[in-house]
């Protein structure tokens, strides 16, 4: 089975002591090590304001993990454990490898199309415009006899 890459973000209540947050982090790390997953990145984003109220809280402590695993049941287990935790008010798991695969495929298609297209020749500099001819003085136009005033 191929390895998959996941982002896991969870939000802990803002009043939670630091050792309780570490306990939740340890739970996630322990579950990953049991299933043979590799935690590639761990970031503690700290307390941030939420976009909307979640469980009557306007802010929360964010924790981010990037996990590589070949077991899909690991994600189900992580989400189950986070759901049981009282301190966790929200969590989200996103599978990244599908997006990366799609992005590589689109890049390959774009490169293939670019290779098929004929190369455009370099633009040649436009010739300098010819100087405008000097204006010719116009002779007075003969007036029409009907327009002349009658002679008295």
């Amino acid at each position: 089975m191929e390895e998959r890459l996941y982002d896991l973000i969870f939000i802990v209540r803002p009043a939670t002591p630091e050792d309780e947050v570490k306990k939740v982090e340890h739970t996630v790390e322990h579950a990953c090590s049991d299933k043979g997953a590799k935690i590639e990145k761990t970031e503690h984003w700290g307390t941030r304001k939420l976009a909307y109220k979640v469980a009557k809280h306007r802010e929360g402590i964010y924790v981010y993990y990037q996990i590589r695993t070949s077991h899909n049941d690991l994600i189900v287990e992580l989400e189950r454990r986070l759901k049981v935790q009282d301190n966790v008010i929200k969590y989200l798991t996103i599978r990244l490898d599908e997006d990366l695969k799609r992005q590589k495929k689109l890049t390959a298609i774009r490169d293939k199309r670019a290779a098929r297209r004929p190369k455009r020749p370099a633009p040649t500099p436009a010739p300098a415009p010819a100087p405008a001819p000097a204006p010719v003085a116009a002779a007075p136009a003969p007036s029409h006899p009907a327009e002349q005033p009658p002679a008295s």
Side-chain angles (χ1 to χ4, degrees):
M1 181 177 247
E2 68 180 78
E3 285 195 337
R4 296 178 175 168
L5 185 63
Y6 294 94
D7 268 354
L8 171 65
I9 300 173
F10 60 90
I11 305 171
V12 181
R13 297 179 190 276
T16 306
E18 189 64 32
D19 59 329
E20 291 291 320
V21 175
K22 292 290 183 193
K23 189 187 290 186
V24 175
E25 290 177 8
H26 180 70
T27 303
V28 170
E29 292 166 2
H30 182 68
C32 288
S33 65
D34 284 350
K35 299 285 185 182
K38 180 182 175 192
I39 297 176
E40 294 192 348
K41 191 187 295 185
T42 303
E43 294 178 5
H44 190 82
W45 291 349
T47 304
R48 292 179 160 213
K49 186 178 177 196
L50 301 172
Y52 54 90
K53 276 187 174 182
V54 177
K56 300 182 181 179
H57 296 285
R58 291 206 176 271
E59 56 184 26
I61 301 170
Y62 283 70
V63 181
Y64 168 79
Y65 282 98
Q66 194 170 46
I67 302 168
R68 186 174 298 274
T69 183
S70 57
H71 299 286
N72 358 351
D73 56 335
L74 169 68
I75 300 305
V76 174
E77 177 66 18
L78 285 174
E79 289 180 348
R80 185 192 68 77
R81 289 186 184 194
L82 289 173
K83 193 183 298 185
V84 172
Q85 294 282 334
D86 290 332
N87 294 328
V88 177
I89 57 176
K90 200 154 194 73
Y91 60 89
L92 179 67
T93 308
I94 301 170
R95 184 174 165 188
L96 293 178
D97 61 325
E98 286 296 316
D99 292 337
L100 295 174
K101 223 188 281 185
R102 189 177 306 118
Q103 190 176 18
K104 284 181 184 177
K105 184 178 178 182
L106 290 174
T107 304
I109 290 171
R110 194 177 310 125
D111 292 344
K112 188 187 285 186
R113 284 183 185 160
R116 280 189 296 190
R117 246 184 270 135
K119 299 278 184 192
R120 292 184 182 170
T124 56
V136 178
S143 43
H144 196 274
E147 294 178 1
Q148 291 182 359
S152 9

